[in-house]
Amino acid sequence: GAGSVVKALVAAGANVNTPTETGAYAMHLAAASGSAEAVTALVGAKADPNALETQWGQTPLMFAATANRPETITALL
C-alpha cells in the first residue's frame, strides 16, 4: 500500500493485473491500505479499478469501504 513502492514496482515492469493466491489484485490491497497515491499509481499503470477478487466477488471499492478508507474511496470514484 505504499505509493512509492507501487511506483517503483510499476517502473520495474510489474504486472499490475496479476492476482494474488487469494484472488485479490494489487488494486484491492492498495484500496484497503488507504493509500490514494498507490491507487492512483496503479490506475496510471492500467490496473483494473473494477477487478473482482475471486473469493467473494468484491471490488477494490468494496475493500476500501470495508476498511473505512475515505482517501482511497475518493481516488477510486
Side-chain angles (χ1 to χ4, degrees), residues 28-36 58-74 76:
H28 289 92
L29 304 177
S33 78
S35 174
Q58 295 184 343
T59 65
L61 183 60
M62 292 173 173
F63 272 48
T66 299
N68 193 27
R69 304 296 192 190
E71 290 181 11
T72 53
I73 291 169
T74 300
L76 288 163

Side-chain angles (χ1 to χ4, degrees), residues 3-16 41-42 44-45:
S4 60
V5 173
V6 171
K7 288 178 182 178
L9 290 169
V10 167
N15 182 343
V16 297
L42 289 169

Side-chain angles (χ1 to χ4, degrees), residues 14-55:
N15 182 343
V16 297
N17 289 307
T18 299
T20 65
E21 288 184 9
T22 63
Y25 292 83
M27 185 65 79
H28 289 92
L29 304 177
S33 78
S35 174
E37 181 183 13
V39 168
T40 302
L42 289 169
V43 168
K46 307 288 189 231
D48 183 2
N50 298 307
L52 298 176
E53 56 85 24
T54 56
Q55 187 173 10

